[in-house]
Amino acid sequence: RFGEAAVALFVTVRGDLTVSRLREALTSRLAAFKTPRTIRIVAELPRLSNGKVDRQQLRKLVEGEPA
């Protein structure tokens, strides 16, 4: 929604992308308040049985791991 800052960004990658390289690219293109506080590289996004992204599991990943 308008006015909200990104708290987390989850990325699935192929290749050698690292969190530090991704953060550097984002900070060079986005305003500081729009840069996600937490970035996680995951093998795949958790899915519900209907195929939608499981947002509750993503939220647990953010809360359970230090930023």
Side-chain angles (χ1 to χ4, degrees):
R1 286 186 263 171
F2 179 76
E4 291 184 0
V7 174
L9 171 68
F10 289 88
V11 191
T12 58
V13 297
R14 286 176 252 185
D16 61 349
L17 182 66
T18 63
V19 171
S20 59
R21 286 179 55 201
L22 181 57
R23 186 175 301 282
E24 183 180 316
L26 291 172
T27 55
S28 70
R29 291 172 176 82
L30 298 174
F33 72 93
K34 291 187 177 185
T35 303
R37 288 184 242 156
T38 304
I39 298 174
R40 299 282 185 256
I41 295 178
V42 295
E44 60 183 40
L45 295 174
R47 302 271 178 186
L48 297 169
S49 59
N50 62 6
K52 293 182 180 181
V53 173
D54 188 343
R55 293 181 185 187
Q56 289 182 350
Q57 288 298 322
L58 292 178
R59 195 171 292 120
K60 288 178 182 178
L61 287 173
V62 172
E63 294 169 354
E65 296 181 18

